[in-house]
C-alpha cells in the first residue's frame, strides 16, 4: 500500500506540474496579491489544462495525505520527489526548456541530496 | 538579466518554501492525531478536515499552490523544481524539531548537496522559453 501511494503521488504530481508549466507560461505573469490570486483563480477556471492539473494535484494530495499518516514525514517528502527526474526530462522534451550542463549538474546534486535524505 | 523579475522569482520561491514546509508539518501533525487510517476509510478525509491543524495545513498548502503557479508563470519548471527543493531540507528540520523524527548525519550531508545543487541551478537563466507579459 505504501508504494502504491508513492506511485500515485509521483505520477499525479508530474502530470500536474507539466500541465501547469505549459499553460501558465501561455497565460502570462501571475501574482499572489489579493487581486492577483482572484485573477489567477479565474485563469484556472477558464483553462482546461489548469483544471486538469488541479484534478491531478487532488489525487496527489490525498495519496500524500494517506502516506504522511502512516510514514514519517522525513520519508514521505523525499520519496515523493521521484517525480523530479520524470519532470526534468519531460520539461526538456515536451516543454522545450533548455536543460544545459550546469542546470543538469545542479539538478543531479539536488536529486542526490533528496535520495540521501530518504536514507 | 531582468533584475526585478529575478528578485520576484526568489521572493516567490521563499514564500512557497515557507508555506509548503509549515503546511506539510501541520498536516502531518494533524493526521497523526486522527483515530482512523485515511487510506482504509476514504470518508475519513472529509472528517479530518475538521481538525484545526489539518484545516490550517490545507489552507497553507492551497496558498502555496497559488504561489507556485505564479512562479511557474515566470520561470522554467526545470528551474523551479531544484530551486524549491530547499523545502525538503526544511521538512526534515521541521520533522526533527516538532515531530521528533530522526535526522541522521546522512541527512545533513543531503542538505549540503541540495543547497549546492540549488546554488548551481540558481546561476542558470530562470526562463528559457519566455512568453511572460500579462500581470
Amino acid at each position: 500500500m505504501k508504494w502504491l501511494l508513492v506511485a500515485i503521488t509521483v505520477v499525479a504530481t508530474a502530470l500536474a506540474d507539466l500541465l501547469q508549466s505549459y499553460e501558465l507560461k501561455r497565460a502570462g505573469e501571475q501574482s499572489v496579491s489579493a487581486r492577483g490570486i482572484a485573477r489567477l483563480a479565474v485563469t484556472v477556471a477558464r483553462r482546461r489544462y489548469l483544471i486538469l492539473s488541479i484534478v491531478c494535484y487532488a489525487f496527489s494530495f490525498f495519496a500524500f495525505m494517506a502516506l504522511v499518516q502512516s510514514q514519517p514525514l522525513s520519508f514521505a517528502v523525499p520519496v515523493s520527489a521521484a517525480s523530479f527526474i520524470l519532470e526534468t526530462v519531460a520539461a526538456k522534451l515536451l516543454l522545450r526548456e533548455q536543460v544545459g550542463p550546469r542546470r543538469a549538474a545542479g539538478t543531479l546534486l539536488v536529486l542526490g541530496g533528496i535520495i540521501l535524505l530518504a536514507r | 538579466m531582468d533584475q526585478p523579475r529575478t528578485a520576484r522569482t526568489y521572493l516567490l520561491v521563499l514564500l512557497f518554501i515557507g508555506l509548503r514546509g509549515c503546511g506539510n508539518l501541520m498536516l502531518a501533525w494533524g493526521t497523526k492525531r486522527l483515530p482512523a487510517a485515511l487510506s482504509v476509510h476514504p470518508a475519513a478525509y472529509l472528517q479530518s478536515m475538521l481538525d484545526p491543524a489539518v484545516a490550517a495545513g490545507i489552507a497553507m498548502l492551497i496558498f502555496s499552490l497559488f504561489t507556485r503557479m505564479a512562479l511557474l508563470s515566470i520561470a522554467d519548471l526545470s528551474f523551479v523544481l531544484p530551486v524549491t527543493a530547499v523545502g525538503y531540507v526544511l521538512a526534515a528540520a521541521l520533522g526533527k524539531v516538532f515531530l521528533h523524527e530522526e535526522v541522521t548525519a546522512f541527512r545533513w550531508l543531503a542538505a549540503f548537496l541540495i543547497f549546492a545543487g540549488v546554488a548551481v541551478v540558481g546561476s542558470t537563466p530562470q526562463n528559457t522559453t519566455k512568453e511572460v507579459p500579462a500581470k
Side-chain angles (χ1 to χ4, degrees), chain A residues 1 5 14 17-18 20-21 24-32 37 39-41 44 50 53-54 57 61-66 68-75 77-78 80-81 83-84 87-88 91-92 95-99 102-107 109-114 116-119, chain B residues 5 8 12 15 24-25 27-28 31-32 34 36-39 45 48-49 54 58 61 63 65-70 72-79 81-82 85 88-89 91-92 99 101-102 106-107 109-110 113-114 116-118 120-121 123-135:
Chain A
M1 191 65 184
L5 291 172
D17 282 349
L18 288 166
Q20 275 190 12
S21 182
L24 284 164
K25 279 262 181 80
R26 288 177 43 179
E29 186 172 357
Q30 308 293 321
S31 79
V32 286
I37 286 184
R39 215 197 63 182
L40 187 50
V44 171
L50 291 180
S53 80
I54 301 292
Y57 264 137
F61 172 77
F62 286 118
F64 183 75
M65 205 165 158
V68 291
Q69 194 199 20
S70 57
Q71 303 299 320
L73 184 64
S74 49
F75 165 81
V77 172
S80 62
S83 60
F84 211 81
E87 291 184 52
T88 304
K92 182 174 175 61
L95 303 177
R96 308 272 176 222
E97 291 180 5
Q98 290 169 28
V99 183
R102 235 179 339 152
R103 186 174 288 186
T107 303
L109 275 175
V110 170
L111 187 63
I114 293 171
L116 216 56
L117 206 58
R119 280 180 67 121
Chain B
R5 187 158 291 131
R8 231 174 83 73
L12 286 170
L15 187 61
N24 278 334
L25 176 72
L27 204 60
T31 52
K32 280 184 199 299
L34 298 175
L38 291 176
S39 52
Y45 281 120
S48 73
M49 289 174 193
V54 174
I58 290 171
L61 290 174
F63 192 47
L65 183 68
F66 280 118
T67 308
R68 197 162 182 271
M69 281 182 166
L72 285 172
S73 72
I74 54 173
D76 289 349
L77 179 61
S78 58
F79 176 90
L81 283 174
Y88 294 112
V89 180
L99 302 176
E101 293 178 355
E102 192 190 356
F106 271 118
R107 292 208 171 127
L109 177 61
L113 284 179
I114 290 172
V118 168
V120 174
V121 174
S123 68
T124 65
Q126 62 185 54
N127 186 349
T128 59
T129 57
K130 297 298 172 228
E131 280 202 66
V132 163
K135 198 185 170 186

